[in-house]
Amino acid sequence: MLAILAPGQGAQTPGQLRPWLELDGVESRLRWWSTAVGLDLVDLGCEAPAETIRDTAVAQPLIVATGLLAAEQLGLLPITPAAGSGARAVLAGHSVGEITAAAITGSLTPEAALLFVGLRGRAMAQAAAVTPTGMTALLGGDPEEVTAALEALGLTAANRNGAGQIVAAGTLDDLAKLADAPPAGAKLRPLSVAGAFHTRHMAPAGDALRAVAGGIVPGTPALGQLSNADGALVHDGADLVARLVTQVAAPVRWDLCLAAMREAGVTAVIELPPAGTLAGIARRELRGTKIVAVKTPADLDAARALVAEYLPPPAVPAQAATLVGAAS
């Protein structure tokens, strides 16, 4: 089984799109996608400094667009029904990466995915501005003891990433209390993010997405996608869209997605760009698995070899999601 993974916020790096512009058609594709998100993806992905692309409203569309570019180069956008019927593969995205994965499965078109992520990024940035909040990674310690300690402080285990990593989220005051008294065996690393993502503080962002979600006509996924909510393998486009809405204010259970990959017998992993984080976790949690982290076009050939091994060649294009009224 092949797992195709899409990274989340924090994976972005300055200049991440520059090497991709050397490929035919990529710049014009990015110009088109820029109209969907209302941002100049070419400039942001090639010239913008780290501080600029750290902005939630910028980082999220940039990450999704980069992943979709690589997916197109690998012949994965979207997975066709013919390929899906004979495929030995699953999709999974971490946080905003779920949107990238949804486009690859055919649940969303690339344009619908980018419209959705553009709104998501803006709404989450606005929600983060209401109350001073943040996130801190905890490395090590007993997972259940760490989670209990966070709850006692009024914090949320917003990401349970496996490999001994849990990310706490909440108010800056509560995070300061955590810094003063960390759980036994845990090392703390404050994260440079705008707010407490995947917590109750993001409820307004969920409301904003819910208000437009009824205009999305989901496609029929050609492959199953593992959900951040509970690690379940989702085969229904409407269910997936509903999960994308609730996900912004709910914890990311990447540990459960990893457990589902082990149970499914995953033997190979491709992480789409900007790659590195999920590949590193997979190396620790899915030992013995062949892993390709697609960081630049130089990594495409190795990824293509895995795609050819686990997915039959593409045939008929899949029916993917559209956004009602998007053209207007």
Side-chain angles (χ1 to χ4, degrees):
M1 183 72 72
L2 169 68
I4 302 168
L5 310 181
Q9 191 167 340
Q12 72 276 5
T13 58
Q16 68 186 45
L17 284 177
R18 193 174 296 119
W20 296 92
L21 292 185
E22 299 176 9
L23 303 180
D24 290 344
V26 164
E27 182 171 354
S28 58
R29 193 68 165 140
L30 285 170
R31 298 290 183 196
W32 167 238
W33 287 349
S34 293
T35 66
V37 296
L39 298 169
D40 186 341
L41 293 170
V42 175
D43 180 69
L44 291 168
C46 296
E47 307 299 334
E51 182 178 356
T52 298
I53 64 172
R54 191 178 296 122
D55 181 348
T56 301
V58 171
Q60 294 189 13
L62 184 60
I63 289 167
V64 170
T66 306
L68 294 181
L69 276 181
E72 282 197 330
Q73 295 296 319
L74 293 171
L76 297 175
L77 195 59
I79 304 279
T80 66
S85 63
R88 294 174 289 128
V90 294
L91 272 292
H94 189 285
S95 188
V96 74
E98 286 206 295
I99 300 173
T100 311
I104 295 171
T105 68
S107 296
L108 299 173
T109 63
E111 290 76 15
L114 289 161
L115 284 167
F116 190 90
V117 76
L119 173 59
R120 184 185 192 270
R122 294 189 300 273
M124 291 178 73
Q126 290 166 3
V130 174
T131 303
T133 58
M135 304 179 82
T136 295
L138 293 90
L139 308 176
D142 179 81
E144 299 310 317
E145 291 180 6
V146 168
T147 302
L150 298 182
E151 291 177 354
L153 291 171
L155 296 167
T156 300
N159 297 167
R160 296 186 65 165
N161 290 330
Q165 183 190 102
I166 293 176
V167 177
T171 67
L172 296 184
D173 288 344
D174 288 340
L175 288 172
K177 296 175 185 176
L178 173 65
D180 291 338
K187 295 181 179 179
L188 273 56
R189 187 182 66 181
L191 302 181
S192 181
V193 296
F197 303 144
H198 300 291
T199 71
R200 59 183 176 82
H201 297 283
M202 292 294 111
D207 292 341
L209 293 174
R210 195 169 292 107
V212 304
I216 301 175
V217 181
T220 301
L223 286 178
Q225 179 171 336
L226 297 174
S227 171
N228 282 185
D230 50 14
L233 189 62
V234 179
H235 290 280
D236 179 79
D239 184 14
L240 186 56
V241 169
R243 287 169 177 262
L244 291 177
V245 171
T246 58
Q247 179 228 53
V248 298
V252 172
R253 294 301 305 267
W254 192 248
D255 58 334
L256 298 181
C257 290
L258 289 165
M261 292 180 215
R262 283 191 291 269
E263 185 175 352
V266 165
T267 52
V269 167
I270 295 172
E271 184 185 1
L272 299 172
T277 300
L278 300 183
I281 294 174
R283 288 188 180 96
R284 295 188 291 272
E285 292 286 311
L286 304 172
R287 295 187 181 277
T289 299
K290 185 172 184 179
I291 296 171
V292 175
V294 181
K295 298 181 179 181
T296 72
D299 301 311
L300 287 172
D301 283 346
R304 287 189 182 108
L306 287 182
V307 170
E309 181 178 351
Y310 289 89
L311 280 77
V316 182
Q319 178 184 359
T322 56
L323 194 66
V324 174
S328 60

